[in-house]
């Protein structure tokens, strides 16, 4: 495919692209899939070089690193205890949160200031411990997903955990298509619509297939659709 053909295909896929932008992309000499990703990431302009950068080459460069929500999950050397009882930890965390809720109710209804303070401090300590326990549990599930090559099973995740993890996973694996297991609609009333929204925000086409959601980057879906149409 020559540069003119690449330019025209990009303009078909992205009608908002200006003629100059499409030409700049085509002149980069990169694969069409790479160029599509550039447009999706709003990375259209070629890198700029300034004279002072060309002359001075020994100055220290600031390395910009991604801030993971769950950095332990993505380390080369796993430091997570993979043998813990995830369900048991979740149950303990739920119990602690319930106890914290009851203590908070006591604090609100008590007439003595010292007692209110005592109950509030105790409730906060239980909530903090529950949060730590929940994190230990979810790290195990996340690490298993990272090490596996199959569908991403989100059973056992809260909505907040699933969204944060998917943000991390997208940056780590840079996937263009993925299969999520969320369970049937009546069993996943919160997490399924949350993942459908996540796909939309991150520019994925999303289709339902039983207990699974299938996501594919919109640009690649359009490329496949265009290819089938041409045949």
């Amino acid at each position: 495919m020559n540069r003119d053909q690449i330019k025209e295909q990009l303009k078909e896929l992205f009608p908002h692209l200006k003629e100059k932008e499409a030409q700049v992309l085509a002149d980069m000499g990169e694969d069409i899939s790479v160029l599509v990703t550039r447009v999706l990431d709003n990375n259209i302009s070629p890198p700029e070089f300034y004279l002072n950068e060309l002359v001075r080459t020994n100055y220290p460069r600031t390395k910009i690193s991604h801030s993971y929500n769950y950095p332990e999950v993505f380390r080369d050397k796993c430091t997570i205890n993979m043998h813990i009882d995830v369900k048991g930890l979740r149950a303990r965390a739920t119990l602690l949160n319930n106890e914290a809720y009851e203590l908070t109710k006591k604090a609100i209804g008590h007439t003595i200031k010292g007692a209110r303070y005592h109950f509030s401090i105790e409730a906060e300590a239980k909530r903090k411990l529950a949060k730590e326990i929940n994190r230990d549990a979810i790290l195990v599930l996340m690490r298993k997903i990272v090490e596996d090559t199959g569908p991403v099973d989100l059973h056992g995740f809260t909505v907040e955990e699933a969204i944060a993890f998917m943000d991390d996973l997208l940056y780590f694996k840079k996937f263009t298509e993925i299969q999520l297991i969320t369970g049937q609609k009546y069993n996943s009333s919160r997490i399924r619509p949350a993942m459908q929204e996540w796909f939309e925000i991150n520019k994925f086409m999303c289709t339902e297939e039983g207990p699974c959601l299938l996501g594919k980057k919109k640009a690649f879906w359009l490329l496949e659709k265009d290819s089938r149409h041409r045949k």
Side-chain angles (χ1 to χ4, degrees), residues 18-215:
K18 297 177 182 178
E19 178 72 18
K20 185 178 179 180
E21 292 173 336
Q23 188 63 58
V24 167
L25 288 165
D27 289 342
M28 287 180 182
E30 295 177 325
D31 185 77
I32 183 66
S33 61
V34 176
L35 297 176
V36 165
T37 303
R38 279 183 175 276
V39 177
L40 290 173
D41 294 336
N42 198 26
N43 183 21
I44 298 173
S45 302
E48 296 180 348
F49 298 96
Y50 299 97
L51 183 59
N52 62 337
E53 293 180 331
L54 295 173
V55 173
R56 187 183 175 202
T57 58
N58 60 345
Y59 59 87
R61 295 178 181 270
T62 302
K63 187 175 181 180
I64 300 173
S65 59
H66 175 71
S67 179
Y68 284 104
N69 297 297
Y70 299 97
E72 307 97 316
V73 175
F74 302 94
R75 289 173 183 158
D76 292 337
K77 186 177 180 180
C78 181
T79 57
I80 301 167
N81 181 3
M82 301 297 289
H83 304 291
I84 60 178
D85 178 9
V86 174
K87 288 185 177 179
L89 286 180
R90 288 295 209 186
R92 186 184 169 200
T94 298
L95 180 61
L96 284 167
N97 278 322
N98 290 338
E99 291 174 353
Y101 175 72
E102 293 301 322
L103 285 167
T104 301
K105 282 170 54 179
K106 284 184 179 180
I108 293 172
H110 213 286
T111 56
I112 301 175
K113 182 178 179 181
R116 291 199 301 270
Y117 178 77
H118 171 76
F119 287 136
S120 298
I121 292 295
E122 194 174 345
E124 182 58 31
K126 287 182 180 291
R127 277 192 290 268
K128 183 178 179 181
L129 181 57
K131 186 176 181 180
E132 292 171 357
I133 292 172
N134 268 326
R135 186 178 179 87
D136 288 341
I138 202 62
L139 288 178
V140 175
L141 299 181
M142 291 175 178
R143 181 70 186 193
K144 287 179 179 178
I145 291 171
V146 171
E147 293 178 348
D148 193 14
T149 57
V152 173
D153 190 347
L154 295 176
H155 284 105
F157 283 67
T158 65
V159 169
E160 294 75 15
E161 289 166 346
I163 292 172
F165 174 65
M166 287 301 295
D167 287 342
D168 283 353
L169 193 65
L170 178 59
Y171 182 85
F172 182 74
K173 290 194 172 182
K174 295 179 173 57
F175 54 81
T176 56
E177 58 182 290
I178 195 168
Q179 183 179 26
L180 304 183
I181 302 174
T182 63
Q184 298 289 355
K185 288 183 179 180
Y186 53 84
N187 288 330
S188 55
S189 58
R190 290 191 66 222
I191 204 164
R192 195 177 183 92
M195 288 299 95
Q196 289 171 322
E197 183 179 357
W198 184 90
F199 277 131
E200 181 63 29
I201 290 171
N202 289 279
K203 300 177 182 177
F204 279 78
M205 290 293 297
C206 176
T207 56
E208 299 186 64
E209 195 171 283
C212 298
L213 291 177
L214 306 178

